[in-house]
């Protein structure tokens, strides 16, 4: 079992079950064990997931729960944060929480956004965050992927096989699918070379 205990900051309880499916899909890409016929093998299948629920079941949320989730994860020893979330709005408190994470040796990864525009969403646009765009099977920019100077790296984001709800395999598209490839790779790298700093991991 690779899932640690976490917290639900939306409902203020320990119930971190995924009703929406988005978090499960991201987790499958990062740490899927690939042990059963319908399951998938993740990028870092030896890593652990700490489920921290900061978005509502409909996929929406606010800056306050995101900040609480970041601080919670950092305080409990998380080394890589995957933020497959995004907004056009700037948030000083979210940015401060990300700086707090980086200052405590945590690497932060976020999705560039799915508007197909030269406008990277926040938190991915913040300098401290590794911003991930999406490519298709031909390594071309996915039509929906936001792009721009803030994008640091791209990863697969079209029709990615991953874990769905109720043990199903699904095909997941979006920069939300691309970001966990990078988060998983960083988790594997960190496990093998624990002495690496955030800056070295980013490089």
């Amino acid at each position: 079992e690779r899932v640690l205990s976490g917290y639900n900051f939306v409902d203020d309880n320990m119930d971190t079950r995924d009703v929406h499916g988005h978090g499960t899909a991201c987790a499958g890409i990062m740490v899927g064990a690939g042990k059963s016929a319908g399951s998938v093998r993740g990028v870092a299948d030896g890593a652990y997931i700490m489920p921290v629920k900061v978005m509502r079941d409909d996929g929406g949320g606010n800056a306050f729960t995101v900040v609480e989730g970041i601080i919670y994860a950092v305080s409990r020893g998380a080394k890589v944060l995957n933020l497959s979330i995004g907004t056009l709005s700037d948030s000083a408190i979210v940015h401060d929480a990300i700086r707090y994470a980086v200052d405590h040796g945590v690497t932060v990864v976020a999705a560039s956004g799915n508007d197909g525009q030269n406008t990277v969403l926040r938190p991915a646009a913040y300098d401290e965050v590794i911003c991930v765009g999406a490519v298709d099977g031909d390594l071309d920019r996915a039509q929906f992927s936001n792009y721009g100077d803030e994008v640091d790296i791209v990863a697969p984001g079209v029709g990615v096989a991953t874990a769905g709800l109720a043990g199903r395999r699904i095909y997941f598209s979006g920069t939300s699918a691309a970001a966990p490839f990078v988060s998983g790779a960083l988790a594997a790298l960190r496990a093998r070379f624990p002495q690496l700093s955030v800056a070295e991991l980013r490089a």
Side-chain angles (χ1 to χ4, degrees), residues 7 9 50 52-54 63-75 81:
Y7 200 79
F9 286 98
M50 182 189 303
V52 182
K53 188 168 184 174
V54 298
F64 300 104
T65 53
V66 172
V67 167
E68 288 180 309
I70 290 171
I71 293 171
Y72 174 92
V74 173
S75 71
L81 297 184

Side-chain angles (χ1 to χ4, degrees), residues 8-11 17-18 20 22 52-63 65-66 84-86:
N8 177 343
F9 286 98
V10 176
D11 301 313
R17 286 176 296 177
D18 182 11
H20 187 278
H22 188 270
V52 182
K53 188 168 184 174
V54 298
M55 308 301 276
R56 298 187 305 270
D57 290 342
D58 65 3
N62 64 67
T65 53
V66 172
S84 285
I85 56 176

Side-chain angles (χ1 to χ4, degrees), residues 19-111:
V19 176
H20 187 278
H22 188 270
T24 299
C26 291
I29 293 167
M30 285 186 278
V31 300
K35 290 182 179 175
S36 63
S39 69
V40 295
R41 182 172 292 279
V43 177
D45 60 355
Y48 290 85
I49 282 282
M50 182 189 303
V52 182
K53 188 168 184 174
V54 298
M55 308 301 276
R56 298 187 305 270
D57 290 342
D58 65 3
N62 64 67
F64 300 104
T65 53
V66 172
V67 167
E68 288 180 309
I70 290 171
I71 293 171
Y72 174 92
V74 173
S75 71
R76 279 155 182 78
K79 299 303 181 189
V80 179
L81 297 184
N82 185 82
L83 299 173
S84 285
I85 56 176
T87 178
L88 286 169
S89 303
D90 190 15
S91 171
I93 61 170
V94 171
H95 199 174
D96 282 346
I98 287 169
R99 290 191 189 104
Y100 170 83
V102 172
D103 287 346
H104 285 77
V106 179
T107 306
V108 184
V109 178

Side-chain angles (χ1 to χ4, degrees), residues 97-184:
I98 287 169
R99 290 191 189 104
Y100 170 83
V102 172
D103 287 346
H104 285 77
V106 179
T107 306
V108 184
V109 178
S112 69
N114 301 324
D115 308 301
Q117 297 176 358
N118 185 6
T119 306
V120 170
L121 299 183
R122 293 173 176 87
Y126 295 136
D127 289 343
E128 298 83 1
V129 177
I130 296 175
C131 173
V132 185
V135 291
D136 62 20
D138 294 322
L139 301 183
D140 294 322
R141 180 177 65 84
Q143 205 168 23
F144 54 76
S145 180
N146 287 9
Y147 56 95
D149 292 341
E150 298 94 341
V151 175
D152 297 300
I153 194 167
V154 294
V158 179
V160 177
T162 187
L165 298 179
R168 298 192 327 269
R169 175 187 290 231
I170 63 166
Y171 293 91
F172 184 41
S173 294
T175 55
S176 284
F181 275 101
V182 176
S183 297

